[in-house]
Amino acid sequence: MARDVQLTRQSEPNSLEGISPDLQAELNNIENQFNVTSEKLKQISERFEEELREGLEKEGSNLSMNVTWVLGLPTGHETGEYVTIDLGGTNLRICFVTLKGGHEEIGIKQHACRLPPTIKTGDAESLWNFIVDSLDEFLKTHELTANRTDRLPLGFCFSYPAEQDYINHGKLKTWTKGFDIDGVEGEDAAAQLRDALAKRNLPLELVALVNDTTGAMIASAYKDPDTIIGAIFGTGCNAAYVENVGSIPKLKSSLPPDTPMAINCEYGAFDNAHRVLPRTKYDVIVDEGSPRPGEQTFEKMSAGLYLGEIFRLVVLDLHEKGLIFPGQDAPNLKEPYKLDTALLSALEDDPLEACRTRLEECLGVKVTLDETRVAHRLAEIIAKRGARLCSCGIAAICRMKNITSGHVAADGTVANKHPKFKGRWTEALGEILDWPRDRKEDPIIITSAEDGSGIGAAVISAMTLYRIHTGNTDGIQPR
């Protein structure tokens, strides 16, 4: 019987009775540092709303609140064939999208390849050559341009802060997500891609430059009219929503005040002044070791690119204090960004023995079951904080726009792959917006826009071509 009890205890990841008092005390301290109370969530969200409004009022604000020149949401009747590319933080994805109207299945052929580290920190020419080479190979593989005399419309999903004077234009303000490529910042990324396509004589016409967050919103709205916001909870974090032109003081335009305009918030930069976010010493280390210290403060505390690194730093701290993996060197723990967010998901979702095996593979050390339980708890603490912080920006948009119900179309690996994210995010949103505790259903829910970037770029390209066809060329650069 005693053996049965022991086996039961070992199968419970949350059971920490076996750890030393010193380690328990350190765990309690870490948990307190990462805990974000309801009161703190509300304080963060209030400041968030202030920064959103500042970004709409004037250029040069901390939050860019970029005008996208996507005029409203799709009708759901958009059709046609489109090539899209999605330059994300980890992969380059190329799609051939066939739209048949919102009630019909979307046709899609796609290929994704991992971006080489040399590209992420190289120069502009290397970046565009890599993209054009990949496009050329994709077109040939799928025989998309054989016997065609016209140019296929191309939608470019560019997931970085860009100032858009037109929908087919985008001047990069700053690289994010660990990118630091020379020769693109301050330049029109759309024009650079257009030039690279022309040099190779590829039969593609760049129609729209789209942010992935706007793409997530549009892709979901194409099928789901209850969509209110597009959000990215993945490598980076961001949101997009529809504002009225009359509520964007910085936009000098002759468009009627009630014209709907999609806004790309670029709110990974929230609280760069460090006024409200509860940063720990680990967050400071992540920031100081990043290519752009002092930028993207909110993203570095909540996005998928950084959660694994925060976890690594906490575990390394415990190891250096002699509280876990005693007498072992653990070289992998000393390598920045060696651990990714997928490990945190596994630690919360997989059986204890599988977690131990995964940890031993990732860390290169022998791991006890109690140490596995500690890792599980740390993964829980860090991921929970990230999910709760992610609710603050959405809550701020909802309060600013008096949105009380609808669907938040979420793209990104954290939203779609982490087993506990949606529940934690929803709980925190309810705390901020004071939803009744005894509610039968949540008035605002996350829906999945998993393929939002590729399909979203195609739908926006279709909307843009339709506007050109009807003579509405506001925000479209003449070619």
Side-chain angles (χ1 to χ4, degrees), residues 243-266:
E243 187 58 87
N244 293 326
V245 165
S247 298
I248 313 172
K250 69 180 180 182
L251 179 62
K252 311 307 178 191
S253 170
S254 59
L255 290 168
D258 61 350
T259 303
M261 177 73 77
I263 296 292
N264 164 29
C265 300
E266 288 298 348

Side-chain angles (χ1 to χ4, degrees), residues 81-83 94-98 107-110 138 144 152:
E81 294 179 333
Y82 307 88
V83 175
I94 304 173
C95 302
F96 178 64
V97 181
T98 305
I108 186 163
K109 297 175 181 176
Q110 60 182 313
F138 181 83
L144 296 179
L152 274 167

Side-chain angles (χ1 to χ4, degrees), residues 438-456:
D438 60 350
R439 62 188 181 273
K440 297 288 190 292
E441 59 184 25
D442 299 321
I444 296 171
I445 62 171
I446 287 184
T447 56
S448 178
E450 191 163 351
D451 196 30
S453 301
I455 292 171

Side-chain angles (χ1 to χ4, degrees), residues 347-420:
L347 287 171
E348 287 208 66
D349 205 33
D350 291 351
L352 191 63
E353 279 290 359
C355 290
R356 174 159 75 172
T357 301
R358 182 82 174 260
L359 278 171
E360 289 182 340
E361 290 171 353
C362 290
L363 303 181
V365 294
K366 288 294 180 185
V367 181
T368 68
L369 285 175
D370 278 328
E371 288 168 341
T372 305
R373 292 188 183 93
V374 170
H376 166 91
R377 186 72 190 113
L378 291 174
E380 194 174 56
I381 289 167
I382 292 164
K384 183 177 180 180
R385 184 190 72 164
R388 288 175 68 79
L389 288 177
C390 282
S391 71
C392 295
I394 303 299
I397 292 171
C398 290
R399 283 161 42 126
M400 184 173 74
K401 295 296 295 176
N402 295 315
I403 295 170
T404 57
S405 65
H407 297 167
V408 175
D411 202 352
T413 51
V414 176
N416 293 318
K417 301 290 169 60
H418 193 285
K420 306 272 181 75

Side-chain angles (χ1 to χ4, degrees), residues 320-338:
E320 289 179 340
K321 290 175 178 175
L323 296 172
I324 54 175
F325 319 135
Q328 300 185 73
D329 189 32
N332 289 359
L333 267 182
K334 297 165 187 171
E335 186 178 333
Y337 294 92
K338 181 70 175 177

